[in-house]
Structure formats: C-alpha cells, structure tokens
Amino acid sequence: MKKIFVFALICMLLMTPFLSSFTSTTSNATSSVMTTIHELEGLEKPAEILVDNWGIPHIYASSQTDVYFAQGFNVARDRLWQIDLWRKNGLGELSEVLGPEYVEQDKAKRLFLYRGDMEEEWEAYGPETEEIVTAFTEGINAYVEMTEANPELLPDEFDILDYEPSKWEPEDVVRIRSHGLTRNITNEVARAITLRDHGQDVESVRKKLQPDWETEIPVGLDLEDISEDVLDTYQLATSGVNFDNVGNGAEGLENVETQLTAETGNLNEQIELESSLGSNNWVISPEKSETGRPIMADDPHRAVDVPSLRYITHLSAPGLDVIGGGEPVLPGISIGHNGTSAWGLTIFSIDQEDLYVYETNPDNPSEYRYEDGWESMTSVSEDIAVKDGEHQVADLEFTRHGPVIYKDEENNRAYAVRAGWLEPGMAPYLGSLSYMGAKSWDEFYEAMNRWGSPSENQVYADVEGNIGWKPGGLTPVRDNWDGLLPVPGDGTYEWDGFLDQENLPHEINPDRGWIGTANEMNLPNDYDYEKYKLGFEWTAPFRFQWIEKVMESNEKMGIEDSLQLQTDYTSIPAKRVVHLLNDIELDSSDEKVNEALELLRSWDGELSVETTAGTLFEVWYQYHLGDAVLAEIMSEEAAEYIGSGDPLVILDLLENPDERFGDNPVEIRDEILLSSLDSAIDQVEELLGPNMNEWQWGELKHAYLDHPLAELVGEEQAADMNIGPLPRGGSGDTVGASRYNSNFQQVHGATFRVVVDVGEWDNSIAMNSPGQSGDPNSKHYDDLFDKWANDEAIPLLYCRDKIKEATDQRIILLPDLENNVSSIEMLVEHFETEEEFADEDTAHSLEVHLKAVRQFEKQEDAEKILKHMNGFMDLLEHHYDDDAISDFAYHTLLHQAENFIQQWE
C-alpha cells in the first residue's frame, strides 16, 4: 500500500555539537509510527530501536559494541532517575544531592564497594565484559549529555529533588555490590540472640533448618557479644533510599534489587519479609508439552513498586539475538532466550556471608587479635560531598576478612563481614553475560560454573529438546563450622577457598518430563550436604509443592497452562488447615464460629479475588493462628522476639500436637483453633462488615503503587505518579506470589513474568508491571498495570516481521557524521551491506546521484548540488513507495539528506 509521509524537523543541529535530532511520522492505513533520530558520539554505525505497543525496545545494531551502547542509551531514556539513584546510592553519593541526613548511609555503602584489583575483576567475567560494560555506560552517558542540552528530557523526579543525573564510569557497574540478595548475616545474629536469650527450643520454632541439622556454638564465641546493634551499618549498606528526610517526607524507595517497601519491624520480621523475595521457574520437556516443544517459565518475586525492578529488552547484533528481562543498570539480560536456548532463575540458598567477632587491643581499638598477636585494621579515608553542608570524611576500616561494621570499644570488640559477593567477578547478575549466548547445555553448564552472585537455580531448555537444572554461586568452604552463627575472627574459623561448582547438583532431561524450583530446599536426597554445607536456610516449600501437584496431575502442559500456574492462588497452608478442620471434630458454642468452620471446610483453598472463605482464612492464619500457637508454647518475650515463627513448624504442630501443648495437646490445639478463629472473625467484621457471605478477598487485598516521591508534590501530580488501587488475589504462600502488609496492600510478587515457547519464539508471552518506563509522563509508565493485576500477559515478539507490525515508535541512533555527501555515501554502502535495500540496483541508483553531488561539492556549485540532492530525495521516496528500501534506511538517509540540503540552501 502506498505510504503517506509527514516530516517535522525539530531541533536540527542542537546547541551541542555532538547531537542533532529529527522527528517524523510514518503513516499508513492502519498505523502511525513516530520516528526520532539522534546523532551521538561513541556510536560506530547506525542502530535502530523499535519500541513495540507494550513499550518493549527491540534494538538492532551492526556490532555488539553498538548494540550495548544503544541498550545503555535506551534504558536511560526509559529509566534515567531509577538508574541514576541506584548509582548514587551504591557508590555512597546520596549526601551530595540529598543532604547531610544521608552521610551515614553513604559511609555504609562505601564500606561494601568492591575494592580489589580491577584487572582481576574484569577478567573474572570473561574477555569481553569490560568492553561490553564500557559501551553500555557510554550509551547512558550519551543520553545524560542529551539532557544537559535539553533539560526538558529529564524525568520530573530530578526537578522534585533539585539535582541532575551523573555520568557513569564502567567501574561503577561492577564496584557496586550491595544491591544483590544477600545471606545470611541477619540470621546469624538473630540465631545467636535467640539461643542466648530463649534457648534451642525457641530457636527451632523461629527457623527450621533444612536438611535436618543441629548447629553448635563455635568455640570462642561469647553469645553475650552479639546484639542487633552490630547490624546497623550492614543494613544501611544493603538498603535502598528512604526519602523521609527530604522535604515533608515520603515513602522510601528501596534498592533496585530488593526494593523492600513493606513495613519494617524487629529483626525477625525483617528476615521473614526478605524470605518472601523468591521466584518460581520450570521447564517442560517436548514429551510433556502441548506444543511438542520445550517450555521455559520464570517469575521472580520482588517488590511491587514503581518503577519496576526489571526491564525487558531485545538485543540483536551479529552473533547475538537475545530477548528477556534484566536489571536496567546492567548490560544484557538475565532471564529469557537467545533463539536457541531459554533460561530462568530463582534463588538457591547458598550461604555466602559470615560475621566475624574480634577481640580488639584495649590500647588501640584499630588492632584486633589474630592468632598470637595484634593485627592492624586497614584504614581508608574518603571525602563525602554534602549538599548544603560541609564536606565530611568517611574513615572506613577493614580487617583481613572484610569491612568493619561495628566497634564496641567499651568491651574491646569489633565486628566485620566476610562476603563471597565482595570477591572478584561477583557483581550481582553480571555473570549472565556468560550464559546469555549459550547454544547448548554444555555451554550453559560451563557458564553457570563461573556464576558468582547471587546464588541461583537456573533452569534451561533448548531447541534440541533438552531441559535441565543447574545451580550456581560462589560457595565458601567451611571445614570446621556450618556458617549459622558468628565466629571469632582470630584465625580459628577461616574459609578454605571456594567449592568447585562441579560439586553442586544438577539435572538434565529427567523421565518425569519437567523440572521446577521455587526457592525450596531442593538438594537431591543423595547429596552430601554434611560435607559441602551449602546452606540450611531455605524458603517454605509451599509454592513448589503446588507446582509439583499441577505438573504431576496434568499429562500435558502448554503456554497458557504455564501462565495460569504462574498466577495460581491456591494456598498449600490453607489446604492443610482445611484438611485438618475436616479431619477433627471441632464445634463451638458460638454459632458464628460454627458458621465460619463450615465455610472453611467447604473451601478449595484458592485465594481468588472473590473468595469469602479465603478472606477469613488469610486474616486468621496470618494474624491470629500462629500467634496463638506461639503464645501457648513459649514465653511472651520469646514469642514477641521471634515474630511469626517458621510456618512449617507451626503447621506441623497443629497437625501433630505434642507435649509442647502440655498434658492434653489435642484439647489445647482445638482451643487454639477456636479462640483464634473467633478473634479473626471479629477483625474481618471490623474491616468488611458483619455479613460473612459478602466478604471478598479483593475487597481487602489490593495493589497500590506509591511513588517514593509522591508526598513531596501536590495532589494532582501525586495522582499521576501513584498507580492503582486494584483488587488482587493470592498470598505470599501461593505460586502467584502476592505478599501483603497489614493494610492488605501487596508489597511483593512477580511484576515480571515470562513463558517461552522454545523454537516458536513469537508464541512466547511476558509481563512487566506497571510498565516499561519509569517516567510518569510516558504512556508506558503504567499501561501494563491493569493487565498484570488481572493476571494477563503480553506478546514477547522475536521475529522482526512480527515486531515491525507491532511497532509504535522508531528511534534511530546515528554516529556523529560530518555533514557532507561522503557521509551519505557511507550510509548507502552500510545499508547495502546490512541488506536494507531490496536489491543492488536500489543502492546503485542512489549512488549515481551522490557521485554527481560529490563532484559539484568539490566545485562548491550549490545550484547543481541542490538539483541532484532533490533528485536523490525523489528517488528515495520512489524506492520507499515500492518497498525497495527499509524504514530504517529510508529515515536515516532522509535525515542525512535534509541536513546536507539545509547546509547548501
């Protein structure tokens, strides 16, 4: 169909010499695509970004260096404030833009920067990583430079906080480590305090160790030395940015990796909250798949926040064609496919941290006892720039094990962290660059053997029909302890290197036809866990148990089946409690309680938005039942300290009451059930009214995204920045993970999901709520929120023809070319090489005109130059009308020709 073109020239040759910008609209009978062109220093050849209807950028370049440059530029276009805040927070530079209230956080962040040899650091990832990261950060910087010339491009957040984005160095990406999911320092401290103050029986309820294990207090450790105060600096170092100190206060934006937005509580409540940051993944073999091809599904669970943690990108260049989700601050992707293999991750609970306790020299608190003498801490002083204040000096100290996080000079003690994620090559998720190009299981397996942080379950599927599971993560070798408690730092407890990852379990092509993980303890029964001591703190297995049930109950599973499973709200704890209620004789003298029991007994355990029984169950289970159990078996002080307790222990005790309930455990158990249910009914009545039949879970449970700066602006702007509310189903225990706070606002869950049809890639589906953009002024800021809340998905297109049909915006990136005919000739030659013309004759006809122009350019004959350039333009239009030239080549050549003509007019 003949195309109609309208061109609006904007900002030709802007104030800065490195950039010009050109906008046009390409229309036909069914679509309208806005094309924007930018000239950028640092790009080698033209690159094209096709943004589809769902905000997903498909980036095409003629080299991998250019595609990563374009990725950096594009992510800055969509997520500039998010990534700039991540960088400032990670490097400890918040005080410079937010003020003196952030000095302590800046000091903490700087303690946990990578400070090793940079050559060793780059080599640890592979030979091309430094080049890739450099190109990526240069792309970010190119966009930052655009905002310097055009401040109106800056998202509103910069204006609200009154600062400007910074330029990036490649080293920034790998030096920042404190945003990864970390374990297990907080549990070490909580365990030590629980054992000291309340004993082993309480500790066994606080956290069930898996596999079964009894820890021993390390020789030389005095539990009296451990307090929650030792964690203050560590928690600041691994936290995000809270804006309560800015202006009139606002909700805190937690870090880009964990993004914890729920309420804070005591240490164990924080640990429980962090334990919900899990994921689901699975792969299905061709034999079990409805498609006859493998399927890969993944849905990481992070904060339900704005902007979202992950960003979907498609990168296409010679030797590279990957699409999927990744962290916006990193090049590449970590979850997705490459046209041959697909892969998805969840957390695999390797213990990568230890807290060391030192005796310090009474005469010099910066010396600590090591073996038979005193060893000096390493001291580093750094200047911290402070907005509206004087520069401050951060005096940072390190032992041989790592950063010193606390000093108790009164008792001659110091505390430091040794973390695997501070070793070379451990920048969180950057290791995905190694497996991203894997074309076979063997290549993927080898790449995962180099994976460092965070420790992951990776599932794999490929076009040959293979499916597999390969965990990865740097694993400290602890010969004489288990890593579950702090240890003396005197040399008695030292890591003996790191485990060869060949010793981690794996699985390939099992007969059952599927593999899945959900952060549960998934070590094989024959794995020598006593020898390797990978870790003993795993997430409750409820999500995996339901995944397993669904997989084993269905002979075949398809793409839609996987989406339905990702968003399944069946609760295993609910099913267990309902089964218990149906197994025992339980009646109350209160008819209201009996009515509730009958409601629960007939319920299927699904926490749908409409469920009535589920509404009562969740309030009962989350806020009354567990507390009643703890109150019966331990002191009030102990129960208050350990929080909710381990759900596996609580449920097991209800199903199998024992002497912890006293001489009549069954009777006491039944009393607990009835009394706590009565209390839950009272709470729901206060929330939803007295008519039990009108209760619905979605009337309580909801998703509402509070922008972290909304309280700093007026109501109208805040309304544009905040998103929701919408009703939501599920809980933190369902496969469709949907953890909520005491206001029943969802705080964690899978905002990013993907299901990949391996081999028929365009059938794949995804989701990234609330939208791809972090800019409240973008139409892609919240355009996916409703679909996500309703458990829908969007296409994850891979084939270029399909992508072109769904293109909503085209962005062309050009190298900074001289404004002469030679540049146009170079572009024609480039597009001919890249097969952007239908045939050689198309390119040749254009070259004829340019050859004449070049001759008249030497003669400076403006009239003849313009005549032949107008002929060139007419011919360009003719070829485009005949579909002999691609959109990419057409718009680029038109832009360059317009520039050249303007110079000679």
Side-chain angles (χ1 to χ4, degrees), residues 417-477:
V417 174
R418 184 163 191 191
W421 45 271
L422 289 177
E423 296 290 323
M426 295 296 113
Y429 298 103
L430 191 60
S432 60
L433 292 174
S434 294
Y435 66 69
M436 213 170 59
K439 299 296 185 182
S440 68
W441 166 255
D442 289 342
E443 288 183 16
F444 181 78
Y445 183 92
E446 289 303 316
M448 283 305 299
N449 275 343
R450 298 189 295 274
W451 179 269
S453 175
S455 50
E456 300 286 4
N457 289 292
Q458 286 274 4
V459 292
Y460 170 94
D462 65 29
V463 293
E464 298 299 320
N466 297 304
I467 62 170
W469 164 62
K470 177 68 176 83
L474 193 70
T475 306
V477 175

Side-chain angles (χ1 to χ4, degrees), residues 84-85 88 93-100 102 106 161-166 246 385-388:
D84 184 74
L85 186 67
K88 285 181 168 63
E93 296 179 356
L94 291 175
S95 301
E96 185 175 356
V97 295
L98 298 181
Y102 296 86
D106 282 346
L161 295 173
D162 190 28
Y163 74 89
E164 297 175 352
S166 300
V246 177
V386 180
K387 180 181 181 180
D388 300 328

